[in-house]
Amino acid sequence: MSVEEVEAAAQVWADGLRARSAVIERKHPILPQEGKRNVLLTSALPYVNNVPHLGNIIGCVLSADVFARYGRLRGWNLLFVCGTDEYGTATENKAREEGLTPQEICDKYHTIHASIYQWFQIDFDFFGRTTTERQTEIAQDIFWRLHERGFLLEDTVEQLRCESCQRFLADRFVEGVCPHCHYPEARGDQCDKCGRLINAVELRSPQCKVCKETPVIRSSKHLFLDLPKLEGELEQWLEKSISSGDWTANARHITRSWLRDGLKPRCITRDLRWGTPVPHQDFKEKVFYVWFDAPIGYLSITANYTDQWEKWWKNPQQVELYNFMAKDNVPFHSVVFPCSLLGAQDNYTLVNNLIATEYLNYEDTKFSKSRGVGVFGDMAKDTGIPSDVWRFYLLFLRPEAQDSAFSWADMAIKNNSELLNNLGNFINRAGMFVSKFFDGCVPEMLLNDDDKRLIAQVCWELKQYITLLDKVRIRDALKCILNISRHGNQYMQVNEPWKKIKGGDDDRRRAGTVTGVCVNVACLLSAVLEPYMPTVSHTIRAQLQAPPTCASAQLQGSGSFVCTLAAGHRIGTVSPLFQKLENEQIEALRKRFGGQQTQSSSSASVETKPGASQQNLNTDPERVKHLTSLVAEQGDKVRALKAQKVEKSVIVEEVAKLLELKKQLSLAEGKTPEPAAQKGKKK
């Protein structure tokens, strides 16, 4: 850093909290305001029919919550809404499984979801649901506007019908092999493996999920959204939104791949009972398809929050819309739903910033409630680990650019090294030195060049933190927090105030300056931690008895590290913020959430008679499916790299990974892996 930068940071520090912004209290209903940055923030509506696992939580609500808390600290006029998605085949399926009505299932799981998010400290302004009168009213209004403007088509389509159940099999009532990537458990509307939308009749080897019978093909009349007719207008809007807003790379890629393939009319009706009824006389026995209906839930949930909802949703001139989701939801938010709103021609607010994560896996496999694999939202609080620690670790490994995996061993390492030894150690020592050496009062600070350099380093990290979070790079911004703490620890170790306090007057003054600077860095840490670890943040401020404006004041503009705890300020009682996660505790949790483990092929063998099937008796079907998926993904990656003509060494490395995955798949299937082909000179 230049001398000028260091001096400038020191001058801002010396200004303190004078003439800085006051704390803004939330007053409901929150409505757009003239001259303010009005941010409307949504998190993808979780399906009501199940309990969310850690991947669901980080992919949607937790990421959105961090950004919402950050935006409020920045002084934005922000509304954060979410709710449970309650219509469709998934709910009917769950109701059948549990012997309840669809409404009873919705009531039960809505309460479970709300409780889980409350424990994770997700600070919604309103958490609603889609089974409401406002949902029906708004969805039917958009439908009629599309119908009147010629954006709906009628067509007779072939559908799968289960003669045993005497019903058409929409969406999740049917499963089969994906016609594109051959994933064995593709649904009747979308393949979770390759993300492609499909029609149920395209499935290979389809099965009714209720009775497992093979369905037959029958005809049924349906309504379609004419996406090709809206494609030109959609592309114009997308070009503007993507170029001016923050769309994650995967969101841009998925959207462009849809447009590259060409849009096709998309069915918006289903032969179901549980859903928003289609108001058209010719289709009165049908309901809206959940992916036409569900995104409208953002509007209806806001309408249940305030009857002035249109000030948010029909106000693109004043409102900036952020959508948070996992990558499988992207096409519905970037193509299908925007087309519905564009076609309705009612000045709707469209997404400006589409934030999509990759997937979070569990250890070396996928979350599975049925197998007891992985931590689900209702289990996290029973581990004895505070929700702030869960938040920290999930955000530390947030799958921003590629899939990531939860690991118990890694969670213990991050807790013990980053939280306990780095962050907690620094904040606790800074406060303890004030209490022990200076009778609980912040000492006088006479800054020298070393102090000013630390202040400048911390200020630089703060500005990076703000730059990154403004761009919704949540994981990277978290590392700035840990860097600030590391700078503080190094500064403290070099200056050794615990030794200088025992020396002469000059040494004691030096100990006072170092201690005062450190406790102010701790106060800044409480501010930047608030979006990530709200309870820890508030605990630090309470221990330091920090002024209410210390957080918001330092996060205005490009960021200002200021002296918030002036000389003479009295702090409160200081105590440790974090506890060590012991190996025994972590190992017990790993076993508890590891499911039913089968012996690996390396440690068990099965005797077979000559000519008998070589199928391993310990085959784990879930592992076979998982490895099949990984093999397909790696194969796609290798083909893409070859098509891009990247360096040979890169391709060779990825091919080696593919061969290893195929070997693991063979072993999981109980087969003997084929030997690698021997390369020789061509003749």
Side-chain angles (χ1 to χ4, degrees):
M1 288 186 176
S2 68
V3 174
E4 291 77 15
E5 288 173 317
V6 171
E7 286 298 329
Q11 184 57 53
V12 171
W13 152 276
D15 289 342
L17 285 174
R18 288 175 293 176
R20 297 190 180 272
S21 61
V23 174
I24 301 172
E25 291 187 11
R26 269 189 282 175
K27 294 182 180 178
H28 297 286
I30 300 165
L31 298 172
Q33 297 176 25
E34 195 72 41
K36 296 276 283 185
R37 183 179 181 186
N38 299 299
V39 175
L40 177 57
L41 196 156
T42 70
S43 170
L45 308 182
Y47 281 127
V48 77
N49 65 301
N50 56 25
V51 177
H53 57 63
L54 298 181
N56 303 137
I57 290 167
I58 185 58
C60 301
V61 295
L62 179 53
S63 295
D65 181 64
V66 171
F67 193 69
R69 289 175 179 274
Y70 170 73
R72 293 177 189 128
L73 284 175
R74 296 275 278 152
W76 304 343
N77 185 47
L78 184 146
L79 178 67
F80 178 21
V81 296
C82 186
T84 41
D85 175 9
E86 302 190 351
Y87 282 133
T89 55
T91 305
E92 283 198 29
N93 267 342
K94 194 68 173 178
R96 283 171 176 264
E97 289 173 12
E98 297 197 14
L100 300 172
T101 66
Q103 186 61 62
E104 288 170 337
I105 281 289
C106 291
D107 294 343
K108 172 184 174 180
Y109 281 93
H110 175 81
T111 301
I112 290 172
H113 276 263
S115 174
I116 289 168
Y117 303 141
Q118 183 178 20
W119 187 80
F120 274 95
Q121 303 175 79
I122 310 300
D123 193 12
F124 303 114
D125 289 302
F126 188 72
F127 184 72
R129 54 199 307 186
T130 57
T131 50
T132 65
E133 291 182 8
R134 300 310 300 268
Q135 175 74 9
T136 301
E137 173 190 319
I138 296 170
Q140 290 184 348
D141 175 67
I142 291 173
F143 165 80
W144 280 122
R145 294 185 70 89
L146 289 167
H147 188 272
E148 291 161 3
R149 287 157 180 76
F151 292 118
L152 297 182
L153 304 171
E154 293 185 18
D155 198 5
T156 299
V157 298
E158 291 185 328
Q159 283 185 261
L160 295 179
R161 179 178 171 85
C162 179
E163 297 297 351
S164 175
C165 296
Q166 288 293 297
R167 65 186 299 164
F168 283 103
L169 301 181
D171 304 336
R172 299 187 177 215
F173 277 110
V174 61
E175 280 186 351
V177 178
C178 174
H180 305 292
C181 72
H182 312 298
Y183 179 61
E185 290 187 330
R187 304 195 308 263
D189 61 343
Q190 184 181 20
C191 174
D192 284 337
K193 165 66 177 60
C194 67
R196 298 276 289 273
L197 296 188
I198 50 182
N199 290 316
V201 292
E202 297 174 330
L203 290 172
R204 298 173 187 173
S205 306
Q207 274 192 338
C208 172
K209 280 204 69 177
V210 177
C211 69
K212 304 302 180 185
E213 292 293 322
T214 300
V216 296
I217 296 177
R218 294 286 185 269
S219 296
S220 179
K221 191 166 73 169
H222 283 277
L223 286 163
F224 289 73
L225 179 60
D226 193 349
L227 294 179
K229 195 172 182 179
L230 289 156
E231 191 165 357
E233 189 177 355
L234 176 73
E235 286 185 338
Q236 287 182 1
W237 164 73
L238 277 170
E239 184 177 350
K240 179 181 177 183
S241 181
I242 291 175
S243 62
S244 62
D246 287 312
W247 287 52
T248 51
N250 56 0
R252 295 194 302 268
H253 172 74
I254 291 168
T255 302
R256 284 171 181 151
S257 69
W258 264 56
L259 293 173
R260 185 180 62 244
D261 296 341
L263 299 182
K264 299 176 180 62
R266 190 70 190 158
C267 189
I268 66 166
T269 53
R270 285 291 186 268
D271 289 294
L272 292 171
R273 302 176 185 88
W274 186 246
T276 300
V278 179
H280 195 291
Q281 180 63 28
D282 295 344
F283 299 88
K284 60 183 180 181
E285 298 300 319
K286 301 183 189 295
V287 299
F288 288 127
Y289 171 41
V290 69
W291 267 114
F292 172 78
D293 185 61
I296 297 172
Y298 297 135
L299 283 62
S300 71
I301 287 168
T302 310
N304 280 301
Y305 166 69
T306 172
D307 58 7
Q308 300 179 71
W309 65 275
E310 291 183 350
K311 290 184 177 180
W312 284 108
W313 284 104
K314 295 185 180 181
N315 190 5
Q317 296 79 18
Q318 280 190 313
V319 173
E320 190 178 353
L321 174 59
Y322 284 80
N323 289 160
F324 282 77
M325 69 202 68
K327 64 181 177 182
D328 57 329
N329 284 341
V330 167
F332 303 107
H333 288 80
S334 67
V335 176
V336 180
F337 186 45
C339 278
S340 298
L341 298 183
L342 287 168
Q345 297 177 357
D346 204 13
N347 195 41
Y348 277 108
T349 302
L350 301 178
V351 62
N352 305 96
N353 310 276
L354 203 156
I355 314 301
T357 62
E358 299 291 316
Y359 294 139
L360 176 72
N361 295 314
Y362 181 80
E363 299 282 358
D364 61 348
T365 185
K366 293 185 177 181
F367 290 88
S368 172
K369 188 81 169 179
S370 61
R371 292 191 299 129
V373 174
V375 181
F376 286 71
D378 55 346
M379 303 170 179
K381 60 184 175 184
D382 296 330
T383 62
I385 298 172
S387 66
D388 265 14
V389 175
W390 282 106
R391 286 175 64 109
F392 168 82
Y393 183 60
L394 291 174
L395 292 161
F396 190 93
L397 50 78
R398 183 174 184 261
E400 293 187 358
Q402 61 187 18
D403 292 357
S404 59
F406 174 92
S407 160
W408 282 110
D410 186 56
M411 184 182 192
I413 290 169
K414 296 300 185 294
N415 177 84
N416 297 343
S417 62
E418 296 292 1
L419 293 183
L420 189 64
N421 295 340
N422 176 16
L423 196 66
N425 180 55
F426 171 72
I427 294 170
N428 186 251
R429 287 208 294 173
M432 288 301 295
F433 290 163
V434 174
S435 298
K436 183 177 180 181
F437 301 143
F438 300 98
D439 197 28
C441 287
V442 176
E444 182 183 14
M445 291 161 275
L446 304 171
L447 304 184
N448 65 18
D449 288 345
D450 287 344
D451 307 323
K452 292 177 181 178
R453 199 158 25 248
L454 171 78
I455 289 167
Q457 286 176 324
V458 170
C459 189
W460 187 87
E461 293 288 355
L462 173 61
K463 290 180 185 297
Q464 282 293 106
Y465 167 92
I466 288 175
T467 298
L468 290 167
L469 271 184
D470 276 352
K471 293 290 184 182
V472 207
R473 290 173 60 183
I474 293 171
R475 187 182 63 192
D476 290 341
L478 177 56
K479 290 171 183 173
C480 293
I481 299 175
L482 300 174
N483 287 342
I484 291 172
S485 183
R486 264 188 280 276
H487 286 311
N489 270 316
Q490 290 164 3
Y491 169 78
M492 190 182 287
Q493 286 301 116
V494 167
N495 286 282
E496 299 180 319
W498 59 91
K499 289 184 179 178
K500 288 185 169 58
I501 195 68
K502 299 173 184 176
D505 289 346
D506 288 347
D507 279 349
R508 289 183 63 82
R509 277 193 290 271
R510 182 67 192 141
T513 296
V514 172
T515 299
V517 170
C518 284
V519 82
N520 272 280
V521 173
C523 192
L524 173 66
L525 285 168
S526 77
V528 292
L529 274 171
E530 182 165 325
Y532 294 87
M533 307 179 77
T535 297
V536 168
S537 168
H538 296 154
T539 300
I540 297 167
R541 291 213 290 278
Q543 290 185 9
L544 300 180
Q545 295 193 14
T549 58
C550 74
S552 57
Q554 299 186 86
L555 294 183
Q556 300 308 304
S558 61
S560 304
F561 176 35
V562 299
C563 180
T564 53
L565 307 179
H569 172 87
R570 179 168 291 280
I571 69 169
T573 302
V574 177
S575 59
L577 297 168
F578 305 107
Q579 290 186 330
K580 184 178 181 181
L581 291 178
E582 301 290 351
N583 291 336
E584 297 79 7
Q585 178 187 5
I586 288 299
E587 183 60 22
L589 289 168
R590 190 185 67 78
K591 288 180 179 178
R592 174 180 166 190
F593 295 104
Q596 297 298 316
Q597 304 300 314
T598 58
Q599 288 179 293
S600 68
S601 56
S602 62
S603 61
S605 61
V606 180
E607 292 185 5
T608 56
K609 295 179 181 179
S613 168
Q614 297 298 305
Q615 179 68 36
N616 192 319
L617 299 181
N618 284 326
T619 294
D620 181 351
E622 289 288 342
R623 179 164 173 76
V624 170
K625 289 171 188 172
H626 176 58
L627 287 168
T628 301
S629 171
L630 292 179
V631 167
E633 284 181 8
Q634 188 65 16
D636 290 343
K637 185 175 182 179
V638 169
R639 284 187 287 276
L641 290 172
K642 288 180 177 178
Q644 296 164 14
K645 297 183 179 179
V646 301
E647 292 182 15
K648 185 177 179 181
S649 60
V650 175
I651 295 176
V652 169
E653 183 180 346
E654 295 303 327
V655 168
K657 292 179 183 177
L658 176 60
L659 293 175
E660 177 59 27
L661 285 169
K662 286 182 175 180
K663 179 180 176 182
Q664 291 180 30
L665 176 59
S666 293
L667 291 170
E669 291 174 332
K671 301 174 184 176
T672 302
E674 294 182 11
Q678 297 298 312
K679 289 189 176 181
K681 292 184 179 179
K682 291 184 179 179
K683 295 182 180 180

